[in-house]
Amino acid sequence: REKKLLEVEGPVGAVEDSCYRDESSYIPTKADDWPIGQPVPLPKWGSSRPPLVVSSIEEYEELTRQFENEVQLLLQEYNYDSITNFIKFYNEFKNGIYETLEYFFRKYQPPLTKNANTCVGLGLLLIGKLALLESRFPGVKNSLYLVSCEESIESHEGYISNDYPDPWVSDKEHVMVAMQIEINGRGGVILLDPGYQIGRVITVMIDQQYPHTGRFVPSSCPQKEYCYQTMVGEKYVQWSVWNGSNKPETNLVYVGASYHSPVSVTERRNLVYNFRSLLATNSKGHLLAGVYFKAALQSTFTLFCDDDEDPTIKHRIKVPSDKFISLNEIDNEVEKILNTSSKHLKMTKVQYCNILSGVAKILEDNDFLDQMCKINDDIFKLGVDENNNNEGVNNYNLSG
């Protein structure tokens, strides 16, 4: 099948420099990939990747030191941004002649933009950087791959019953970077998750012995605890999240094969998600500044930042989104947060305000938001709708 390289800026598009492979090539969505009635295209997976074999714990530790350094540099350099491409999506829809947002959503080719990355762009950038370690760790380039993640799984028994996740009930809203590893004959998988601002290497050993990461508190969400363990013939990693409750939320990461639909499915799906954020972190993943809000009519922006002089002081304020339409009603307290936040976000205050103003105008468009929420709801129902064509997996080519 014919492929074309991602038409994006900088290292994301520079395949020869960043060492991206199939996962980062854009595969145009074909009609049979997106059946009528399905709210997103059916995701596809490729082949499994060979494990990187290391001869000792010391070699593993040196490898993960290098990996951790690269993911921390990435988090420090790039923001997480699910707003900028949302504005582009809206503007292109409004500037065209489309009867419905659903029709436009099917025709739209989601872009990747160097400085406006969600988990997809951050994951692809990280693979490119890690692949440059090939001369130091031979084989690493061919062992790295993107993996898909399904979040908030209520019952995983049916979900994991096939060799691949069932594409008819998967919306694949998140991706990570993975690499199978073998240490003195012991198997495991390394996971890296810049999309959730995790500034460390996660090692999931099958036997759950060192260097298995175990349960930890992420810097980006100190009120939560994460834990990862392999399951089902090592094709899945169960990612458990405790958030003040004894019962964890369960997410499933499919590590059995490389994920080939990060743009056509995951990036597309996130365009209609009803929560948006623009976040800057330090190298450890600690949140420094940003904004988040629900994509709803006349929403409220939550603006936050660390204090300029004392980072232990956190500034946070809620502002009605319509205050940013004209930018004439911004008070001194908000102005101060905007000044500090823009420095952390590596942009001018004018650029930051233009982003907030652009999205504030979208949040006044009730018709667009209603259509967007309808698509988002249809996607959300994929995993819980008993009327989905679960048998269709038998008639669909999952390997792309």
Side-chain angles (χ1 to χ4, degrees):
R1 178 162 50 183
E2 183 181 355
K3 301 177 183 178
K4 67 175 182 178
L5 300 181
L6 288 170
E7 296 175 352
V8 292
E9 308 169 52
V12 176
V15 175
E16 65 278 7
D17 294 331
S18 60
C19 306
Y20 292 159
R21 299 183 306 274
D22 289 346
E23 297 92 336
S24 63
S25 297
Y26 182 66
I27 304 174
T29 304
K30 297 172 66 176
D32 59 349
D33 295 342
W34 199 339
I36 298 298
Q38 195 73 1
V40 285
L42 299 176
K44 288 198 172 189
W45 290 265
S47 59
S48 59
R49 296 292 182 188
L52 185 74
V53 179
V54 296
S55 58
S56 65
I57 288 292
E58 290 74 22
E59 186 180 354
Y60 155 84
E61 290 173 342
E62 176 59 24
L63 171 74
T64 53
R65 270 195 294 270
Q66 296 297 321
F67 275 23
E68 192 161 290
N69 181 61
E70 292 297 338
V71 74
Q72 290 183 357
L73 288 172
L74 184 89
L75 291 177
Q76 201 166 23
E77 182 178 358
Y78 293 96
N79 299 326
Y80 177 91
D81 183 355
S82 64
I83 299 177
T84 298
N85 283 342
F86 177 59
I87 295 173
K88 289 182 180 180
F89 173 67
Y90 174 81
N91 288 340
E92 194 162 330
F93 170 63
K94 299 302 285 189
N95 291 333
I97 304 174
Y98 303 99
E99 290 186 5
T100 65
L101 182 63
E102 182 180 358
Y103 177 81
F104 173 71
F105 188 59
R106 280 181 168 262
K107 298 294 182 182
Y108 191 65
Q109 303 294 0
L112 293 186
T113 307
K114 178 185 175 183
N115 291 316
N117 295 287
T118 63
C119 60
V120 173
L122 292 171
L124 292 174
L125 283 166
L126 184 58
I127 284 181
K129 292 176 181 294
L130 297 179
L132 297 176
L133 298 171
E134 174 71 18
S135 60
R136 190 163 185 177
F137 302 100
V140 72
K141 175 181 173 182
N142 197 41
S143 295
L144 289 162
Y145 59 113
L146 274 188
V147 291
S148 56
C149 177
E150 199 78 16
E151 299 182 338
S152 302
I153 302 292
E154 292 186 9
S155 175
H156 56 63
E157 285 78 9
Y159 183 86
I160 61 179
S161 60
N162 300 301
D163 288 339
Y164 292 92
D166 188 340
W168 297 89
V169 295
S170 302
D171 68 337
K172 295 302 169 196
E173 63 264 57
H174 187 54
V175 300
M176 302 179 188
V177 175
M179 187 179 73
Q180 302 283 344
I181 193 165
E182 186 178 306
I183 310 171
N184 288 332
R186 298 167 55 224
V189 61
I190 285 174
L191 293 175
L192 297 140
D193 193 356
Y196 269 99
Q197 299 86 45
I198 297 179
R200 61 176 295 170
V201 173
I202 301 158
T203 303
V204 189
M205 299 301 293
I206 296 170
D207 61 14
Q208 297 190 39
Q209 301 300 308
Y210 185 82
H212 185 73
T213 297
R215 195 161 166 169
F216 69 95
V217 176
S219 296
S220 57
C221 298
Q223 75 277 15
K224 296 183 179 181
E225 287 186 272
Y226 292 168
C227 188
Y228 302 76
Q229 63 187 54
T230 58
M231 58 187 302
V232 195
E234 292 75 61
K235 286 191 173 184
Y236 289 86
V237 168
Q238 179 175 303
W239 168 23
S240 301
V241 180
W242 287 266
N243 188 14
S245 171
N246 291 329
K247 183 180 179 181
E249 178 181 284
T250 298
N251 309 306
L252 288 177
V253 185
Y254 180 67
V255 297
S258 56
Y259 180 48
H260 279 201
S261 306
V263 179
S264 62
V265 175
T266 304
E267 189 71 17
R268 184 190 306 275
R269 186 269 173 272
N270 287 332
L271 286 171
V272 294
Y273 193 57
N274 63 354
F275 187 81
R276 303 272 140 202
S277 59
L278 171 58
L279 310 170
T281 71
N282 66 9
S283 61
K284 302 292 186 182
H286 169 78
L287 293 172
L288 299 174
V291 58
Y292 58 86
F293 56 91
K294 185 176 181 181
L297 187 66
Q298 297 174 344
S299 188
T300 298
F301 292 160
T302 299
L303 303 165
F304 69 93
C305 66
D306 284 358
D307 189 80
D308 250 346
E309 298 178 358
D310 184 355
T312 64
I313 298 175
K314 315 294 181 185
H315 300 285
R316 188 180 304 268
I317 190 169
K318 293 182 180 293
V319 185
S321 59
D322 59 8
K323 297 289 185 183
F324 285 89
I325 292 176
S326 67
L327 299 175
N328 293 325
E329 301 181 46
I330 305 300
D331 61 33
N332 290 336
E333 185 180 5
V334 174
E335 193 82 28
K336 185 177 179 181
I337 289 180
L338 292 173
N339 283 328
T340 302
S341 295
S342 60
K343 297 173 189 174
H344 287 305
L345 291 165
K346 299 167 284 290
M347 61 179 68
T348 66
K349 191 181 82 170
V350 170
Q351 289 173 319
Y352 189 26
C353 286
N354 284 340
I355 290 172
L356 296 174
S357 177
V359 78
K361 292 170 184 173
I362 298 174
L363 300 179
E364 297 293 309
D365 189 336
N366 192 35
D367 181 57
F368 170 82
L369 293 172
D370 281 348
Q371 293 186 71
M372 186 200 78
C373 288
K374 169 66 166 58
I375 297 171
N376 182 60
D377 288 346
D378 288 344
I379 295 171
F380 176 76
K381 291 173 185 175
L382 279 176
V384 296
D385 186 355
E386 295 179 353
N387 296 318
N388 268 294
N389 182 14
N390 295 335
E391 296 179 359
V393 66
N394 299 319
N395 303 316
Y396 181 68
N397 177 19
L398 289 162
S399 181

